Amino acid sequence: MSWDRLIFPLKMEFWALSLLFFVSLSESAKPITVPRMLMAQRAGMLYLKVVTPDILKDSLQVRLNDSHLYFYAEAPETNYEVSLHLFRRVESQQSDWEVRSTDVQFVIQKKWEWRFWPRLIKEKKGEGGLWDYIGVDWRRWKAEEEDNIPASTGEDDDWLDEEYALIKPSKFPLEEWDDSVMDLLNSSSLSGWLENQTVATVLFFDRATRQNMQTHALFASISKMLLGHVSMARVDRGTNSALMKKMHITKFPTTQLFLGSGEVISFDSTGFKRGRDLLDFLFRQTQPAWMDLKNLSHAESFLTNYSRVAVGMFDIRVPRKGVLRKEKQFDYMARSFRARLDLVPMVFAKVNASLWDPEEYATFLQRYKAEAPLTGLVLDKHGEDQMKYAMKWTHKLLTSWVYQYQFNYVEPITKDNFQEFRNRKKPIVYIMFDDNVESHKEFLEDIKENVAKKHYGKVSFVYTRVKGVAEEMIRTLRCDYIGKTYAVLEDFTNEYMYCATPTEETNLTVTRIDKLVQGYLDQNINPDKVRSEAIPLETKNPGPLFKAVADNLLEVVSNPNKDVIIHFYSQADDKWEDSAFELEKFAELLEDVPTLKVYAIEGLKNERPVDFPDLGYFPCTWMFPMYDKFAPRHFNASAGFKSDRLLWWTHYAASYPLTKDLLPPKLRKHQTSPMGYNGPRPRGDMQKLIDREQNLEPNLVKRLYTVEENTVFDIIEYDETEEESLKELSESNATQAAPPDNVKHEEL
């Protein structure tokens, strides 16, 4: 064999490797180019065109997640590469792209519908070099419609400034939670996904509101902690409208719990303020809804450890109609209670008589003064009377009965369960002790035996120590605390408060509480507090237009050092927005006048106190002047609710006239007078009138509010130039010649 035959294959391999090396070298030597990117958008969608002519489709690499887009492609003359950190989060699972001859077109779903993004990338203008490569796709461009901007998911109003929005840091805390383990489902994938789950929860959400955004963030914050216990997924309302209609879901966000038994339970996820609370709730769904009591000793131990137990007893040894159906209703009820947001203290236990020793079962039934065979439901509570269910066995009736009678005759209340009791919307008597609750045991026992038992099911009774409750509870009760034990009855129908307060000489008695409850039930006592919003804190009520509520209305208008102007309104009024603008403008003009103060009160949310005069329908505006608080002056709004008319009314009705710099142009004579009931201020020495008003002793005489027709009309100074202008116009019209009879109508 010659050397040429041996060397020739080696030469060929060498040249082949050399050729591959040089080809690879030439490829790597091609420049890297940042492609031109053209952007257009809608409220919920992003259109991005990456201009890359003549690219090799097989070389295209795209990686898109919820915050970044990486793009790489090769072309004969250059390689294109760019990595974008997007301005806000997107839904990569609902995004797509298409390779075309001169570009790659991306259609990217925004995670939240917001106003148009002010920029494509997270980097501010001037940071990095990508800004020079980003332009506008004018073919897809569409102007933002201001009327349809879902601004509720925006973080603040700074994004309204187009220039500042280019350099404002892109920080959206609610989007920082990782939701990658929450599958994004649709109408075709939901049913298949549920088939593989034991316990699952699905969030049906709308991308256009901030409430949905907050709930989504709450779910995302705990999603990884529940892996292996509760499966979590989400469904976008916008792309699954047919599914929403089929499932009868009309409110968003809506959360549904899917149990392995086939039951579906909806719950209000907006009621959770902390991720920990939601985590506890969902984890609880993985626990048994009831305990199967196996024998007598097990039952006695369980009933000793738990103070409130709903015991279901089912005896199928002797055929009885409906036993299995009743057991099924009991199971469903127990699961429903497990899925309640307000975690009730009741636990559930079940006794299957066929699995017990007959003698032990007979002994167990003696606890409830019953005999076998027995199928029934009993509430077993420590220190309370046992209660037996005696109505028809339906899920609705069972649930309602257990929820109503689970509570004791008198319950302790804390800041943690305060809202739970109020959510029942049943009248509540709050007994607030001035010192240690232990020292009032006899008093509580007396209330339980003589008052609470008598009214059980109609009124709830709770107690706590004043110093141990949150300020929110005290503000809710709205009755003044004088340092002694007192009681408050809250009525949720009319939002009234009835107070039973002690005197300085005597403490609160059981008889006084009984009279309070009986008087309320018989509707023969007046409430101490009517429906009212909470009194606003000074820090949240800075003015110049101050907010008043029913609970401080009398105090507000009785201010002896101010002419108090108060406007009664309703937010349901179609004209309220226009009136609010004029009222705020009016209040700002009077802000520096020391003797005047302007208030507004929402009439539908605040009921008129008993001692306050009936001033008629609202909207209406009244002034309670320093010179006579019991003869308020009324503003006549028949010619319009305008700040100019309000200023002239104030000028003539207030204790002191306004200075010239505050007065607008004079009113026109053809307009009606702004002076309403009780007319302008009285003539005479104003300071003497004010002093007389302030020196009256309110406790010595019962004064009545007076409202009389205005009889003074000559006080208003009208614009005289208007009368001259009208006269000149009339004379000018009279001197014009009439048109000839032969002139056609069209020529006229």
Short mmCIF file of all heavy atoms in Angstrom, two decimals, residues 651-684:
data_model
loop_
_atom_site.label_atom_id
_atom_site.label_comp_id
_atom_site.label_asym_id
_atom_site.label_seq_id
_atom_site.Cartn_x
_atom_site.Cartn_y
_atom_site.Cartn_z
N HIS A 651 -73.03 86.99 51.56
CA HIS A 651 -72.79 88.41 51.82
C HIS A 651 -73.95 89.03 52.59
O HIS A 651 -73.75 89.86 53.49
CB HIS A 651 -72.58 89.13 50.48
CG HIS A 651 -72.36 90.60 50.61
ND1 HIS A 651 -71.26 91.15 51.22
CD2 HIS A 651 -73.12 91.67 50.18
CE1 HIS A 651 -71.32 92.47 51.17
NE2 HIS A 651 -72.45 92.81 50.55
N TYR A 652 -75.20 88.63 52.24
CA TYR A 652 -76.38 89.23 52.87
C TYR A 652 -76.92 88.43 54.05
O TYR A 652 -77.66 88.98 54.87
CB TYR A 652 -77.50 89.38 51.83
CG TYR A 652 -77.18 90.38 50.75
CD1 TYR A 652 -77.00 89.98 49.43
CD2 TYR A 652 -77.03 91.73 51.06
CE1 TYR A 652 -76.70 90.89 48.43
CE2 TYR A 652 -76.72 92.67 50.07
CZ TYR A 652 -76.55 92.24 48.76
OH TYR A 652 -76.24 93.15 47.79
N ALA A 653 -76.57 87.15 54.19
CA ALA A 653 -77.13 86.33 55.26
C ALA A 653 -76.18 86.14 56.44
O ALA A 653 -76.63 85.90 57.56
CB ALA A 653 -77.54 84.96 54.71
N ALA A 654 -74.88 86.21 56.20
CA ALA A 654 -73.90 85.95 57.26
C ALA A 654 -73.91 87.08 58.29
O ALA A 654 -74.45 88.17 58.06
CB ALA A 654 -72.52 85.79 56.65
N SER A 655 -73.29 86.81 59.41
CA SER A 655 -73.24 87.81 60.47
C SER A 655 -72.56 89.08 60.01
O SER A 655 -72.95 90.19 60.40
CB SER A 655 -72.50 87.23 61.69
OG SER A 655 -73.18 86.10 62.20
N TYR A 656 -71.54 88.95 59.17
CA TYR A 656 -70.81 90.11 58.67
C TYR A 656 -70.72 90.01 57.15
O TYR A 656 -70.49 88.93 56.60
CB TYR A 656 -69.41 90.16 59.27
CG TYR A 656 -69.42 90.25 60.78
CD1 TYR A 656 -69.17 89.13 61.56
CD2 TYR A 656 -69.72 91.46 61.43
CE1 TYR A 656 -69.20 89.20 62.95
CE2 TYR A 656 -69.75 91.54 62.81
CZ TYR A 656 -69.49 90.40 63.57
OH TYR A 656 -69.51 90.48 64.93
N PRO A 657 -70.88 91.13 56.44
CA PRO A 657 -70.79 91.10 54.97
C PRO A 657 -69.38 90.74 54.52
O PRO A 657 -68.40 90.93 55.25
CB PRO A 657 -71.17 92.52 54.56
CG PRO A 657 -70.89 93.37 55.77
CD PRO A 657 -71.16 92.49 56.95
N LEU A 658 -69.30 90.21 53.30
CA LEU A 658 -67.99 89.85 52.74
C LEU A 658 -67.27 91.09 52.25
O LEU A 658 -67.89 92.10 51.90
CB LEU A 658 -68.18 88.87 51.57
CG LEU A 658 -68.85 87.53 51.89
CD1 LEU A 658 -68.98 86.70 50.61
CD2 LEU A 658 -68.07 86.76 52.93
N THR A 659 -65.97 91.03 52.22
CA THR A 659 -65.16 92.13 51.70
C THR A 659 -65.29 92.19 50.18
O THR A 659 -65.65 91.20 49.53
CB THR A 659 -63.68 91.94 52.08
OG1 THR A 659 -63.25 90.66 51.60
CG2 THR A 659 -63.52 91.99 53.60
N LYS A 660 -65.02 93.36 49.62
CA LYS A 660 -65.23 93.57 48.19
C LYS A 660 -64.40 92.64 47.32
O LYS A 660 -64.83 92.24 46.24
CB LYS A 660 -64.90 95.03 47.83
CG LYS A 660 -65.93 96.02 48.35
CD LYS A 660 -65.62 97.42 47.86
CE LYS A 660 -66.69 98.41 48.33
NZ LYS A 660 -66.40 99.79 47.84
N ASP A 661 -63.20 92.28 47.78
CA ASP A 661 -62.34 91.42 46.96
C ASP A 661 -62.91 90.01 46.81
O ASP A 661 -62.50 89.27 45.90
CB ASP A 661 -60.94 91.35 47.55
CG ASP A 661 -60.95 90.79 48.96
OD1 ASP A 661 -61.65 91.35 49.81
OD2 ASP A 661 -60.24 89.79 49.21
N LEU A 662 -63.86 89.61 47.67
CA LEU A 662 -64.46 88.28 47.58
C LEU A 662 -65.74 88.28 46.75
O LEU A 662 -66.22 87.21 46.35
CB LEU A 662 -64.78 87.74 48.98
CG LEU A 662 -63.59 87.38 49.86
CD1 LEU A 662 -64.07 86.96 51.25
CD2 LEU A 662 -62.77 86.26 49.24
N LEU A 663 -66.28 89.46 46.50
CA LEU A 663 -67.58 89.52 45.82
C LEU A 663 -67.41 89.42 44.31
O LEU A 663 -66.55 90.07 43.72
CB LEU A 663 -68.29 90.83 46.17
CG LEU A 663 -68.77 90.95 47.62
CD1 LEU A 663 -69.36 92.33 47.87
CD2 LEU A 663 -69.82 89.88 47.91
N PRO A 664 -68.25 88.60 43.66
CA PRO A 664 -68.23 88.48 42.20
C PRO A 664 -69.01 89.64 41.57
O PRO A 664 -69.55 90.50 42.29
CB PRO A 664 -68.93 87.15 41.96
CG PRO A 664 -69.91 87.05 43.10
CD PRO A 664 -69.25 87.71 44.28
N PRO A 665 -69.11 89.69 40.23
CA PRO A 665 -69.96 90.70 39.59
C PRO A 665 -71.40 90.61 40.11
O PRO A 665 -71.87 89.55 40.48
CB PRO A 665 -69.87 90.35 38.11
CG PRO A 665 -68.56 89.64 37.97
CD PRO A 665 -68.37 88.89 39.25
N LYS A 666 -72.08 91.75 40.10
CA LYS A 666 -73.42 91.79 40.66
C LYS A 666 -74.38 90.88 39.89
O LYS A 666 -74.19 90.62 38.71
CB LYS A 666 -73.94 93.23 40.64
CG LYS A 666 -73.21 94.14 41.62
CD LYS A 666 -73.81 95.53 41.60
CE LYS A 666 -73.08 96.44 42.60
NZ LYS A 666 -73.63 97.82 42.58
N LEU A 667 -75.41 90.45 40.59
CA LEU A 667 -76.41 89.58 39.98
C LEU A 667 -77.25 90.33 38.96
O LEU A 667 -77.40 91.56 39.04
CB LEU A 667 -77.32 89.00 41.06
CG LEU A 667 -76.66 88.13 42.14
CD1 LEU A 667 -77.66 87.79 43.23
CD2 LEU A 667 -76.10 86.86 41.52
N ARG A 668 -77.79 89.60 37.98
CA ARG A 668 -78.68 90.18 36.99
C ARG A 668 -80.10 90.24 37.55
O ARG A 668 -80.53 89.34 38.28
CB ARG A 668 -78.66 89.36 35.71
CG ARG A 668 -77.28 89.25 35.06
CD ARG A 668 -76.73 90.61 34.71
NE ARG A 668 -75.42 90.52 34.09
CZ ARG A 668 -75.22 90.59 32.77
NH1 ARG A 668 -76.25 90.75 31.97
NH2 ARG A 668 -74.00 90.51 32.28
N LYS A 669 -80.82 91.28 37.16
CA LYS A 669 -82.13 91.50 37.75
C LYS A 669 -83.15 90.44 37.34
O LYS A 669 -84.11 90.16 38.06
CB LYS A 669 -82.65 92.89 37.38
CG LYS A 669 -83.69 93.42 38.37
CD LYS A 669 -83.84 94.91 38.24
CE LYS A 669 -84.71 95.45 39.39
NZ LYS A 669 -84.79 96.93 39.36
N HIS A 670 -82.95 89.85 36.16
CA HIS A 670 -83.92 88.86 35.70
C HIS A 670 -83.77 87.53 36.45
O HIS A 670 -84.60 86.65 36.34
CB HIS A 670 -83.77 88.61 34.20
CG HIS A 670 -82.50 87.90 33.82
ND1 HIS A 670 -81.30 88.58 33.65
CD2 HIS A 670 -82.23 86.59 33.61
CE1 HIS A 670 -80.36 87.70 33.32
NE2 HIS A 670 -80.90 86.48 33.30
N GLN A 671 -82.68 87.39 37.22
CA GLN A 671 -82.49 86.18 38.03
C GLN A 671 -83.23 86.33 39.36
O GLN A 671 -83.39 87.44 39.88
CB GLN A 671 -81.01 85.94 38.30
CG GLN A 671 -80.19 85.66 37.04
CD GLN A 671 -78.71 85.57 37.36
OE1 GLN A 671 -78.22 86.22 38.27
NE2 GLN A 671 -78.01 84.75 36.59
N THR A 672 -83.66 85.23 39.92
CA THR A 672 -84.33 85.28 41.21
C THR A 672 -83.33 85.55 42.32
O THR A 672 -82.13 85.29 42.18
CB THR A 672 -85.06 83.96 41.50
OG1 THR A 672 -84.10 82.89 41.45
CG2 THR A 672 -86.15 83.71 40.48
N SER A 673 -83.82 86.03 43.44
CA SER A 673 -82.96 86.34 44.58
C SER A 673 -82.39 85.06 45.19
O SER A 673 -83.09 84.05 45.28
CB SER A 673 -83.77 87.10 45.63
OG SER A 673 -83.06 87.17 46.85
N PRO A 674 -81.12 85.07 45.61
CA PRO A 674 -80.55 83.89 46.27
C PRO A 674 -81.02 83.72 47.71
O PRO A 674 -80.71 82.73 48.35
CB PRO A 674 -79.05 84.16 46.22
CG PRO A 674 -78.93 85.64 46.23
CD PRO A 674 -80.12 86.15 45.46
N MET A 675 -81.79 84.71 48.24
CA MET A 675 -82.23 84.65 49.62
C MET A 675 -83.46 83.74 49.73
O MET A 675 -84.47 83.96 49.06
CB MET A 675 -82.57 86.04 50.16
CG MET A 675 -81.48 87.08 49.93
SD MET A 675 -79.84 86.56 50.49
CE MET A 675 -80.14 86.35 52.24
N GLY A 676 -83.36 82.70 50.57
CA GLY A 676 -84.46 81.77 50.76
C GLY A 676 -85.17 81.99 52.08
O GLY A 676 -85.29 83.13 52.56
N TYR A 677 -85.61 80.92 52.73
CA TYR A 677 -86.33 81.02 54.00
C TYR A 677 -85.52 81.78 55.04
O TYR A 677 -84.29 81.68 55.12
CB TYR A 677 -86.66 79.62 54.53
CG TYR A 677 -87.60 78.84 53.65
CD1 TYR A 677 -87.14 77.71 52.98
CD2 TYR A 677 -88.92 79.22 53.49
CE1 TYR A 677 -87.99 76.98 52.16
CE2 TYR A 677 -89.78 78.51 52.67
CZ TYR A 677 -89.31 77.39 52.01
OH TYR A 677 -90.14 76.68 51.19
N ASN A 678 -86.25 82.55 55.87
CA ASN A 678 -85.71 83.36 56.96
C ASN A 678 -84.93 84.58 56.47
O ASN A 678 -84.47 85.38 57.27
CB ASN A 678 -84.85 82.55 57.92
CG ASN A 678 -85.67 81.60 58.77
OD1 ASN A 678 -86.86 81.82 58.98
ND2 ASN A 678 -85.06 80.52 59.23
N GLY A 679 -84.78 84.72 55.14
CA GLY A 679 -84.26 85.94 54.56
C GLY A 679 -82.85 86.30 54.95
O GLY A 679 -82.05 85.46 55.37
N PRO A 680 -82.52 87.62 54.83
CA PRO A 680 -81.16 88.09 55.14
C PRO A 680 -80.97 88.25 56.65
O PRO A 680 -81.88 88.00 57.44
CB PRO A 680 -81.09 89.43 54.42
CG PRO A 680 -82.51 89.92 54.42
CD PRO A 680 -83.37 88.69 54.30
N ARG A 681 -79.79 88.70 57.02
CA ARG A 681 -79.51 88.93 58.45
C ARG A 681 -80.33 90.12 58.95
O ARG A 681 -80.68 91.02 58.17
CB ARG A 681 -78.03 89.18 58.69
CG ARG A 681 -77.50 90.41 57.99
CD ARG A 681 -76.03 90.65 58.32
NE ARG A 681 -75.48 91.64 57.39
CZ ARG A 681 -74.92 91.35 56.23
NH1 ARG A 681 -74.83 90.08 55.85
NH2 ARG A 681 -74.46 92.29 55.44
N PRO A 682 -80.65 90.15 60.24
CA PRO A 682 -81.43 91.27 60.78
C PRO A 682 -80.60 92.55 60.85
O PRO A 682 -79.37 92.52 60.88
CB PRO A 682 -81.81 90.77 62.18
CG PRO A 682 -80.73 89.80 62.54
CD PRO A 682 -80.33 89.15 61.25
N ARG A 683 -81.28 93.68 60.87
CA ARG A 683 -80.59 94.96 61.00
C ARG A 683 -80.31 95.21 62.48
O ARG A 683 -80.90 94.62 63.36
CB ARG A 683 -81.45 96.09 60.43
CG ARG A 683 -81.81 95.89 58.96
CD ARG A 683 -82.67 97.04 58.45
NE ARG A 683 -83.13 96.79 57.09
CZ ARG A 683 -82.43 97.05 56.00
NH1 ARG A 683 -81.22 97.59 56.11
NH2 ARG A 683 -82.93 96.80 54.80
N GLY A 684 -79.39 96.10 62.75
CA GLY A 684 -79.07 96.44 64.12
C GLY A 684 -77.64 96.13 64.47
O GLY A 684 -76.81 95.79 63.61
#
